[in-house]
Amino acid sequence: MNITVVGSGYVGLVCGAGFSEMGNQVICVDSDKNKIEILNDGKLPIYEPGLEEVIKNNLSKGSLSFTTDLKVALFRCDLCFIAVGTPQAEDGRADLSHVLEVAKEIGRLTEKNLYVINKSTVPIGTSELVRQTIHAELKLREKDLKVDVISNPEFLREGAALNDFLKPDRVVIGSSNEDAIAVMKELYAHFTIKSNNLLIMDNNSAEMTKYASNAFLATKISFMNEIANICEIVHADVNKVRIGIGSDSRIGYSYIYPGCGYGGSCFPKDVQALIHTANENGYTPRLLESVELVNQNQKLVLAEKVIKRFGAKLNHICLGIWGLAFKPGTDDMREAPSIEIINKLTSLGAKLKVYDPKSIEIAKKYYFKNNYNIEYYNSKYDAIKSVDALLLITEWKEFSCPDFDEMIKLMKQHIIFDGRNQYNKIQIEKIGFKYYQIG
């Protein structure tokens, strides 16, 4: 099929790469000329494992291209995916301005019947709003074209997005148009060939499915962090408790690891957007409000442990930081716990030595641009030389089995604050470390 993907951010790039990898002809559109030039050179503005290789391969084959010209892309396509950002507005709602601007442009520019598929994460009812926006523009042009809007939410995990796209757990299609459903079934036939995981529902239910999925996963994370905090008070071992509850097949082990809280571009934004949607419709979502509150508090638990150990005046303290990204496998720092932790500690005077495999440049440029208490390093061991303590914030694989004997030699004081419960407390303390974990 001939596919246009509007928006060459995280979701758009993965979709464009994935569809072209499966033999479709794909044009990705973005208004950022600099980004398009970078992409046409086979380079990526983001880090996602395996994505650059797939994009380069399909660029070379001619099955994938990037442009700023939406009119040309629409002329050539059968399906147009909207994959632009829906950032959080000040009041918590999802900002639909980018989605609706694309809808307007489609209405202004298309010259043919078209299926428009919304990949962006949007509030319930957005498909109808997009349809109305497109048809309002068509009416102004006196164009009698059939443009139908389909909801097709993404369920991509950063760090595993390409695999999630090519081998999806499920594909959700929101539409009441039988012809549109048939086209989408054809498009995804090779993605779902091994399992019956293509789910057809109405547009509103498809949009709600996306929000409900992320809200439930966020709930599991906040629940486990709440349990961890209670475990610490009552002197229970949260790591054993996790195994105890995870062995129940009704619960499972996914998303029940205690830590510094969730971050990223999805969970924080989507939980707050769902809260806003509920409030707008006269319902108070008390559970979701608690999930959000627990998460905000959890982001400072590690910093509070440092303060409890060293005091509220940290001018004399130097700390090593391992991990900045909100999770391993990505350079994304949006809503990352590291931001809250670092800002809190440096506000109290602490000097920090920081290392992350992928997020250093982003941290320097966007998040800690004017924070002069931070030094950045290209090695995890360089970042702990002469430090009073180490804070492990992101559980990158290279932090799983470090050389603890080397760490003993390098560190001024042998103290570890583990925000992801990566290590065995008994073994670590036998080596000679004072060890603090979550819970």
Side-chain angles (χ1 to χ4, degrees), residues 303-314:
E304 288 165 359
K305 290 179 182 291
V306 173
I307 294 166
K308 186 176 180 180
R309 173 65 178 79
F310 292 110
K313 294 182 179 180
L314 301 176

Side-chain angles (χ1 to χ4, degrees), residues 148-164:
D148 197 59
V149 179
I150 304 164
S151 180
N152 176 215
E154 53 85 12
F155 300 95
L156 307 176
R157 298 167 298 164
E158 291 193 45
L162 192 59
N163 187 67
D164 287 346

